[in-house]
Amino acid sequence: MTESLSPERMTAWRAYIEASQRLFTQLEDDLRADSELTFADYHVLVLLSEAPGQRLRMGELASRLVFSPSRLTYQISSMQKRGLVARQSCPEDRRGSEAVLTAAGLLALREAAPHHLRSVRTHLMDDLDDAEVACLTRVFERLGRRLRADRDASSTPADK
Amino acid sequence: MTESLSPERMTAWRAYIEASQRLFTQLEDDLRADSELTFADYHVLVLLSEAPGQRLRMGELASRLVFSPSRLTYQISSMQKRGLVARQSCPEDRRGSEAVLTAAGLLALREAAPHHLRSVRTHLMDDLDDAEVACLTRVFERLGRRLRADRDASSTPADK
DNA sequence: ACCGCTTCGTTCAAATTCCAAGGGCATCTG
DNA sequence: CAGATGCCCTTGGAATTTGAACGAAGCGGT
């Protein structure tokens, strides 16, 4: 299987995959342990809390979370049932709707944040020095930009 | 939400999460586009192809894939139906069973590998210089070791 | 050999996720 | 302003994943 990737890069690739998988499940477990939130729930709350008016269009939210549309619908419905967000139809474009952070949602986020951030620190960040953090930022911001661009390009057939 | 993570680290964290999510879904899509395999299928085939006797215990496989036991059962059953692997009960420990790579499974892997590796290169590796690869390897191998250790520790109450 | 007690993998129901349609509106063209 | 077209989100049903409970062995002490 060394068909076209140098051994060094293969090693990097495998380490990245496995560790990331472990990290995500670990954070998910931690979060569930000391709050009533999922990682997805938490992420939604963070994004909404930072948005102007603490509200976001469904599509925008889906794109940032890297969720399929139907998955986001389900996710928001679930959070709505628990009172963490509300749904409002969008004033400018009546086709769409937006998710709005509720007081309960903000409270839940404020309660969960310290635990979650501690989790991120102990499992990941505390082991990294500044140079490593800088490297990760550079690599993954570039990667993110690139993948976003690729996706936009493929959804827009972009005639010549 | 800057409760306990420096802005630099928060940025790194977010970039890492989003880009990883995008990368995984992109690779999954690519793989499905030019083979009949899932990312999980592919990963199983790789691990089996490298194992002595091209066979692995279910538990071992689950641990390496970071899959829950029931998820692995489902995964292997699905691959078994498609003829990619076979299931055999383990000789030494009759409680357990092992997954064995079939000829068809090996063939499927050989066909899919070039496509998948190209995908990994174009989406990720081609953009990285050697220093970045080295950094990723160092960071994620350390992280993986740490998380594996944490998990083992928590499953084994490990009295003093 | 006989109990507990643990481990290995599976199973079943419930929760989650995806994909293909569908419904409602906006926008564009004539 | 009707009709055509496209976008935004939701639905419905199938596929996947999870978590708890189970059956079948191993394991150690008696």
Side-chain angles (χ1 to χ4, degrees), chain B residues 37 40 52 54-55 58 82 102 110 114 116 120 130 142:
Chain B
L37 300 176
Q54 306 200 317
R55 68 186 53 236
M58 296 301 266
R82 287 175 289 157
T102 63
R110 292 230 165 96
H116 178 60
V120 173
D130 290 343
R142 196 191 319 143

Side-chain angles (χ1 to χ4, degrees), chain A residues 13 143 146-147 150-151 154, chain B residues 21-39 42 111-124:
Chain A
W13 168 240
L143 177 60
R146 216 165 158 318
L147 292 173
D150 286 359
R151 190 163 68 54
S154 74
Chain B
Q21 219 84 51
R22 283 191 201 281
L23 180 60
F24 294 153
T25 67
Q26 181 65 62
L27 291 175
E28 181 91 46
D29 290 349
D30 287 358
L31 202 48
R32 297 185 98 119
D34 41 36
S35 81
E36 296 294 298
L37 300 176
T38 303
F39 190 70
Y42 183 85
E111 276 176 9
H115 299 286
H116 178 60
L117 291 174
R118 185 173 48 66
S119 203
V120 173
R121 275 200 292 100
T122 62
H123 292 306
L124 175 67

